[in-house]
Amino acid sequence: LLPIVPFVLLHWKTRKAVENTMPPQLSKYGAADHEHGEQVPLASDGDQHHIEPMEYKSLSSFGASNIDETNQKRKKKIIAIAGTTIAAACLIAINISVAHSFNGRKPIGPYELASVQEGDSFFANYEFYDGPDSLGSAGYNNYVGKNRALELNIANITTETGPDVFASSDTNAATRKEEQFVYMKSAPTEKGPRESVRLEGKTRYDRGLFILDLRHMPAGCGVWPAWWLTDEKHWPDNGEIDIVEGINYQTVAKTALHTSDRCNMFAHVPDWTKTGHWDWATGLPDTFTGVMDFNTSKPADDCNVLAPHQWANQGCVAVSSDEGTIGEPLNKQGGGIYALEWDPDKEKAIRSWVFPGHDAVPSNLREAIESASSTDKSKRVVPDPNEWGLPYAYFAVGEGTGCSADHLKNMRIVFNLAFCGTVSGNRYFRDCPAEAKLFKKGKDPVLSCNALIKSNPEMLEQAYWK
């Protein structure tokens, strides 16, 4: 948990720590793009990929991490809190408790702070991926290493004085605070694809509570930012969780799981467990004629990346019922807080919340964030998701559900900012009609999107994380 962070991440985990090695660059959703270390070119010089700015503040974590085989009955709980505006220290505290079996369930007890990632030490928790975007996402950008990112100033930590977002509403205008913020963004190139940043966490997780206090996120036509968990080298077998993912001008938050076969939410998620709803699969080609069928649709509640009657790699996607929970509307509110609980043992579920702005943040969550950096453990407030109200997303995961816990494991945190590509690019004509009138390459939405990004439009100044 952080003192005051733009985003918070919490997580806990219970398996042997995995050595952090940089796997070959994989697709956004984990599909391997090359083998034996050989890089696969993503595009010609005229059609490369690139990314824009991102800002973070502070990151802390609570949770349980994996331990060696001799301690299999013990659990580490880790909670991480991450902020787009990053503050100043990394703190790790792990609570290990004996996990006795009780009717197949493993009690985990309350969370305890495991790490705080903020300020000058923030980037030490991540590897900077250096190379082209993957074939799976095919963004119009190239990721750069740490030295290049610092040289371009597309990854930096800045000290700013501004309103205390957690102060009470009647004193907020008068209360100001000095904080360190982490910014991540992109830079233009002569050839077109932007130089961008992709951070890959050094720690692996099998469960956890992740909280992100965000002050600003990348938004705009052709922009594709994401904060997610994945094990690229073993995708989709070890799964993927997309916690925050913005696409063009979208304004509603979504959480998605991408897994191997036999991970289905159908008949396992009652309506009373969540406030949101499932995304829909529609417009799929008819099996016999190949004509797009927009008269038939079904809930996207099968997490299998090859699920029948869903788009390839659509996964199971939960959608918030509230507008303004992502993108430009969220930025106008000064950001917001995202939280994801991944608990296949006690809750037997993955749950996701979003709190736009900072006025309506539950007191327990706010106090947990504010006290995270305290060196006095007795002053740290333990986050309790059950005090935050119903989540907008609920995925039944664990024993007795339609998705066993081993579908999601050994994942690390990733922050990245891509442009156009297989998702944002393919939606270009649909999501960006005004831009499409000015930048259009025949009937190809991706090339048209690339042309827009290559022009380095002024709107890309808003494509950053803070």
Side-chain angles (χ1 to χ4, degrees), residues 144-223:
V144 299
K146 183 176 182 179
N147 291 338
R148 178 61 175 167
L150 295 177
E151 176 188 347
L152 292 171
N153 199 35
I154 60 175
N156 68 77
I157 298 167
T158 303
T159 300
E160 300 176 3
T161 299
D164 184 349
V165 297
F166 286 116
S168 60
S169 58
D170 55 338
T171 61
N172 187 41
T175 305
R176 299 181 67 80
K177 181 176 183 178
E178 183 178 276
E179 302 175 272
Q180 283 189 311
F181 292 86
V182 173
Y183 283 81
M184 291 192 282
K185 52 189 179 181
S186 68
T189 65
E190 290 186 6
K191 292 183 177 180
R194 299 184 71 85
E195 290 183 288
S196 188
V197 176
R198 172 177 166 131
L199 299 186
E200 300 179 335
K202 295 179 179 180
T203 304
R204 298 279 180 170
Y205 304 103
D206 289 323
R207 48 186 47 74
L209 178 58
F210 305 84
I211 302 171
L212 173 66
D213 181 2
L214 190 68
R215 301 299 170 85
H216 186 282
M217 69 175 294
C221 182
V223 180

Side-chain angles (χ1 to χ4, degrees), residues 305-323:
V305 297
L306 298 177
H309 311 299
Q310 290 186 191
W311 287 102
N313 195 29
Q314 183 172 11
C316 48
V317 185
V319 184
S320 171
S321 296
D322 298 323
E323 282 285 341

Side-chain angles (χ1 to χ4, degrees), residues 32 38 91 98 110 145 150 167 185 211 225 280 296 323 337-338 368 410 435 453:
E38 179 182 357
L91 196 14
V98 177
L150 295 177
K185 52 189 179 181
I211 302 171
W280 289 84
T296 304
E323 282 285 341
I337 293 181
Y338 297 89
N410 193 43
E435 290 83 354
I453 298 302

